[in-house]
Amino acid sequence: MLLALFLAITLLFSSNRVLGAMVPVTSRDTPAHRAVLHFMRGVNLGNDLEYQAGNPAATQTYTEHDLDLIRQEGFDHIRLPVGWHLGSGAAPAYQVSPVLFQKADTLINAALARGLGVILDWHSFDEFMGNPTGSTNKLYVIWKQVATHYAAYSNSLVFDLLNEPNGAATTAVMNGIYPELIRQVHLINPDRTLFVAPGQWSGIGELKTGTNPGLVLPNDDLNLIVTVHCYEPYYFTHQGAEWALPDTATVGVKFPGPPSTPLKASSTITHDWVLQWFKDYNSKPASSNPSSPYSFQSLLKQLRTWADYWGRPVHLSEWGCYEKAENTSRLAFHQAFRTALDAQRLGWAMWDWKAGFHYLKNGIPDPPGMREAIFPPPVLTITDGATIRAEGSLGKTFILQQADPVFAPLQWQGVSTQSLTTNLFMYPIPTNSQTADLYRILWQK
């Protein structure tokens, strides 16, 4: 009788821990809030370590030269997808291969040495998606190995616990798995920031306010960042994507819609909602067209609303457009999406660096204008004759320099260095300053 009573109490406690009400966090100065400022503009190193060697999708390898370019372009972090399950041994130890660790170490060490943050992501764990209950122990055991391996690394390395939970790995199921996974990882890495994704492919729609928050985070852990993905408008960003056929067979989709000449959808499409999407694309005005900013603006606003309501920082870890979209539309999409992210004060990592959704092709940003779309140069303005302003991105560091035009060559001197906590860089001009002084702003980090 005593044993039965003890078990009942234990199960009740466990259930409350997993399913108890999530409480909004009032502070905006938690470890996670401070960490997210270092992950504002990033890029994924996709199509490499998340696949088994020899897989046709493993089209890329990355070197220190890539990381040099990533840093030079203005990114402040990378996201590194790794298929840890692919390099693990048999149960119960699931020993991770030293070769896989070495490959990941090389890129992580090189990125950190260049001042880049690193999101280390467990990617493509399909076995788990089909049977999360049967694979939960494997998830725990491998993450404990990874956490131990990187325990001495700086906090510029963060862990993304599971990429795109989907299938049987619903948000509700993950709510029962994450608390113990988080607890085990934080026992080994107590100060490590962890990224936690909802179900439905890291869907923003899984995040809700009110009594049903969707994804539930442990109230006693304030070093968690919620990570989501957004590829809207999907039939534009994934046009021609071979892995998603037949719904993505239609190419020639423009951004923004509607097209000047109606586009005929592929005859291979089998779903009515996809055909309806193309009807709306051909007919609706830009303000409500499914291939326009209309498709993602409300989602990003919903993400910001959720973050503000629950007091939990968020990060959009995947977005982008497949290379089969024509260049003008692809460029317009990236500019519009990045602008919408900035408007909601969201950090992000685009998919990807140089694979099918590339930022870089043949060593340069592609298409021409991509750099300016993603990293618009700050423009200095003066308001009321006394304050210099420039818009930037949260977490970025800028230095304002001053020079006297009377003397040649110009001698630039730093007068203000700011790491942005809002989108605005501001510098009040001292009252004794010369009106003929020259000013310029430089990106530092």
Side-chain angles (χ1 to χ4, degrees):
M1 179 65 69
L2 289 176
L3 177 60
L5 179 62
F6 171 77
L7 288 175
I9 292 173
T10 301
L11 290 172
L12 179 62
F13 174 79
S14 176
S15 176
N16 284 341
R17 183 170 187 270
V18 172
L19 300 177
M22 188 162 73
V23 178
V25 177
T26 57
S27 173
R28 295 302 185 268
D29 190 33
T30 69
H33 283 94
R34 294 191 293 272
V36 80
L37 292 177
H38 299 284
F39 295 89
M40 298 309 300
R41 292 188 173 188
V43 66
N44 280 266
L45 305 190
N47 293 72
D48 185 13
L49 299 184
E50 72 270 37
Y51 293 109
Q52 196 80 267
N55 188 312
T59 59
Q60 305 298 321
T61 56
Y62 296 93
T63 67
E64 292 189 0
H65 179 61
D66 288 301
L67 297 166
D68 285 334
L69 292 177
I70 288 169
R71 186 69 174 85
Q72 290 168 20
E73 286 297 313
F75 293 100
D76 59 22
H77 69 282
I78 63 167
R79 182 170 180 258
L80 181 62
V82 179
W84 293 112
H85 55 291
L86 300 175
S88 66
Y94 300 114
Q95 190 68 44
V96 176
S97 161
V99 174
L100 183 55
F101 268 129
Q102 187 274 327
K103 290 179 179 178
D105 291 351
T106 298
L107 293 173
I108 293 170
N109 291 335
L112 295 175
R114 286 157 176 77
L116 292 164
V118 179
I119 302 172
L120 182 58
D121 156 57
W122 189 341
H123 215 86
S124 302
F125 193 7
D126 295 339
E127 171 190 344
F128 182 91
M129 308 309 170
N131 182 14
T133 302
S135 303
T136 296
N137 187 57
K138 187 173 185 178
L139 185 76
Y140 293 163
V141 170
I142 292 179
W143 260 123
K144 287 169 70 175
Q145 292 179 65
V146 175
T148 300
H149 184 84
Y150 294 109
Y153 277 60
S154 77
N155 291 336
S156 294
L157 171 67
V158 301
F159 296 158
D160 188 340
L161 296 177
L162 188 65
N163 179 72
E164 293 186 346
N166 64 84
T170 64
T171 300
V173 168
M174 296 311 301
N175 285 341
I177 293 173
Y178 278 139
E180 179 60 18
L181 177 59
I182 291 166
R183 186 190 71 83
Q184 290 193 28
V185 173
H186 271 164
L187 280 176
I188 302 166
N189 286 225
D191 299 322
R192 185 82 56 205
T193 302
L194 306 181
F195 280 41
V196 182
Q200 286 297 311
W201 307 88
S202 301
I204 295 174
E206 296 295 287
L207 305 180
K208 301 176 177 64
T209 56
T211 57
N212 177 23
L215 180 67
V216 178
L217 301 180
N219 291 318
D220 58 353
D221 197 319
L222 300 183
N223 205 2
L224 306 173
I225 294 173
V226 171
T227 175
V228 293
H229 299 171
C230 182
Y231 283 103
E232 293 297 332
Y234 183 80
Y235 298 107
F236 166 75
T237 65
H238 279 65
Q239 60 184 291
E242 298 83 358
W243 61 93
L245 293 171
D247 287 347
T248 58
T250 308
V251 295
V253 185
K254 297 184 182 299
F255 184 97
S260 56
T261 302
L263 179 68
K264 182 176 176 58
S266 170
S267 61
T268 63
I269 292 174
T270 58
H271 295 113
D272 290 341
W273 67 82
V274 182
L275 294 173
Q276 184 61 51
W277 189 94
F278 281 99
K279 289 179 181 178
D280 291 343
Y281 164 69
N282 283 326
S283 62
K284 289 193 173 183
S287 60
S288 60
N289 195 279
S291 185
S292 76
Y294 171 81
S295 66
F296 51 74
Q297 286 174 334
S298 61
L299 283 172
L300 299 183
K301 184 177 181 180
Q302 178 183 340
L303 181 57
R304 169 47 56 196
T305 299
W306 186 92
D308 290 344
Y309 180 92
W310 291 108
R312 295 285 191 164
V314 294
H315 184 273
L316 197 133
S317 298
E318 286 189 25
W319 66 279
C321 175
Y322 193 40
E323 62 188 358
K324 289 195 176 180
E326 56 92 15
N327 282 348
T328 301
S329 291
R330 194 165 180 267
L331 190 62
F333 163 76
H334 279 90
Q335 184 170 26
F337 202 100
R338 190 271 309 155
T339 300
L341 287 167
D342 284 354
Q344 299 300 333
R345 311 185 314 281
L346 297 169
W348 48 261
M350 62 188 299
W351 189 280
D352 52 54
W353 175 237
K354 63 178 185 181
F357 287 63
H358 63 265
Y359 172 91
L360 196 82
K361 187 174 184 179
N362 298 323
I364 58 174
D366 179 76
M370 177 67 89
R371 177 186 292 139
E372 290 73 22
I374 299 300
F375 299 104
V379 177
L380 292 180
T381 58
I382 295 181
T383 60
D384 55 35
T387 302
I388 293 176
R389 296 165 46 121
E391 290 195 10
S393 186
L394 273 69
K396 305 299 283 186
T397 301
F398 293 95
I399 181 170
L400 183 72
Q401 294 182 330
Q402 177 189 55
D404 190 331
V406 174
F407 300 100
L410 295 177
Q411 300 295 316
W412 292 99
Q413 294 183 333
V415 294
S416 178
T417 300
Q418 298 181 30
S419 294
L420 302 191
T421 55
T422 72
N423 286 87
L424 202 59
F425 178 104
M426 300 184 67
Y427 174 72
I429 300 174
T431 55
N432 61 350
S433 178
Q434 300 296 317
T435 57
D437 284 349
L438 299 177
Y439 291 90
R440 70 180 182 183
I441 191 169
L442 302 175
W443 170 79
Q444 278 197 322
K445 172 179 175 293

